[in-house]
Amino acid sequence: QQQVKQSPQSLIVQKGGISIINCAYENTAFDYFPWYQQFPGKGPALLIAIRPDVSEKKEGRFTISFNKSAKQFSLHIMDSQPGDSATYFCAAIKGSQGNLIFGKGTKLSVKP
Amino acid sequence: KAGVTQTPRYLIKTRGQQVTLSCSPISGHRSVSWYQQTPGQGLQFLFEYFSETQRNKGNFPGRFSGRQFSNSRSEMNVSTLELGDSALYLCASSLAADLETQYFGPGTRLLVL
């Protein structure tokens, strides 16, 4: 049972464009939704996160949109740059349990 | 502040052997979680330790085990290795009061031949 579904699997965007990655979750007990960025040979790094009582959170070029009723959330990368090329993972966690549930990941390529 | 460190970074073993991986969390972090990353299954939770106690366990066979020491350093062990155990094993640490924010190490790449 896949508790967090992520799409698309891969994404190619031109430099300066907007990258959009979508996730859907099933368990309404989740109360924290982070996004991680992973470069080849590195561990995942926390990028941005949101709680379900907030509909949007923005940090620089990265924005999370959250739709609690639809149980969906998405990552928007504005003005995408070649340096953003990486694999992005959405995740969900019930804070008291300490185990992140990850989506399958999206490999983003930003073309110059 | 130093990040999460994992040793060794790369490991090659043969089927049937056992392996021990090590993780040193960020200073002051008392919770350590382990994840397995494979191309097919993605990132999957193995177990979480806090104050030398396993508090949470994922859906992996008993061949996968771990422990945590009094200084919060953690080890995971895989016995009777199978080809399917080839993966990147990631350790993440977090503050006791903030389990949600987990900081990952670079991982140990295990290849089972």
Side-chain angles (χ1 to χ4, degrees):
Chain A
Q1 182 188 6
Q2 189 180 349
Q3 295 193 58
V4 179
K5 294 183 179 179
Q6 183 173 347
S7 63
Q9 194 171 355
S10 63
L11 183 61
I12 299 175
V13 174
Q14 291 295 317
K15 179 182 175 182
I18 303 173
S19 303
I20 302 174
I21 305 170
N22 301 299
C23 285
Y25 64 97
E26 299 170 1
N27 189 344
T28 55
F30 292 140
D31 54 13
Y32 190 70
F33 299 86
W35 285 87
Y36 283 83
Q37 178 189 57
Q38 186 177 30
F39 292 104
K42 305 286 187 182
L46 180 64
L47 193 60
I48 187 173
I50 197 167
R51 296 193 185 280
D53 55 347
V54 176
S55 61
E56 185 176 282
K57 183 174 182 180
K58 184 176 181 180
E59 290 184 1
R61 296 184 295 109
F62 300 90
T63 300
I64 301 178
S65 297
F66 193 89
N67 186 329
K68 188 175 180 179
S69 61
K71 294 190 287 186
Q72 296 175 345
F73 58 110
S74 60
L75 176 69
H76 296 233
I77 306 174
M78 312 299 287
D79 187 26
S80 298
Q81 299 296 313
D84 297 330
S85 297
T87 300
Y88 292 80
F89 294 92
C90 62
I93 186 172
K94 182 180 178 183
S96 61
Q97 293 191 342
N99 58 304
L100 288 161
I101 307 297
F102 284 92
K104 292 286 191 181
T106 296
K107 187 173 182 180
L108 171 65
S109 295
V110 182
K111 300 300 184 184
Chain B
K1 203 180 238 187
V4 177
T5 58
Q6 292 187 245
T7 56
R9 293 293 312 278
Y10 304 93
L11 207 48
I12 300 175
K13 292 285 187 179
T14 56
R15 279 183 301 173
Q17 288 187 309
Q18 75 165 10
V19 66
T20 299
L21 312 180
S22 181
C23 170
S24 291
I26 293 171
S27 178
H29 286 194
R30 294 173 61 193
S31 172
V32 173
S33 299
W34 289 89
Y35 295 83
Q36 181 196 64
Q37 185 175 22
T38 60
Q41 298 300 315
L43 282 148
Q44 293 185 291
F45 172 76
L46 281 156
F47 27 66
E48 185 247 345
Y49 286 87
F50 177 79
S51 291
E52 303 177 65
T53 301
Q54 185 183 94
R55 296 196 301 184
N56 205 355
K57 188 178 190 303
N59 190 25
F60 278 81
R63 299 186 297 107
F64 292 81
S65 63
R67 59 177 176 168
Q68 187 180 33
F69 302 95
S70 59
N71 61 358
S72 295
R73 191 177 69 85
S74 178
E75 289 182 346
M76 69 162 282
N77 183 78
V78 188
S79 62
T80 319
L81 284 166
E82 300 177 358
L83 296 178
D85 297 333
S86 295
L88 180 67
Y89 289 89
L90 293 157
C91 166
S93 75
S94 57
L95 288 166
D98 183 14
L99 293 176
E100 300 161 335
T101 306
Q102 298 190 15
Y103 299 88
F104 283 82
T108 294
R109 174 75 63 183
L110 172 65
L111 177 61
V112 182
L113 302 175

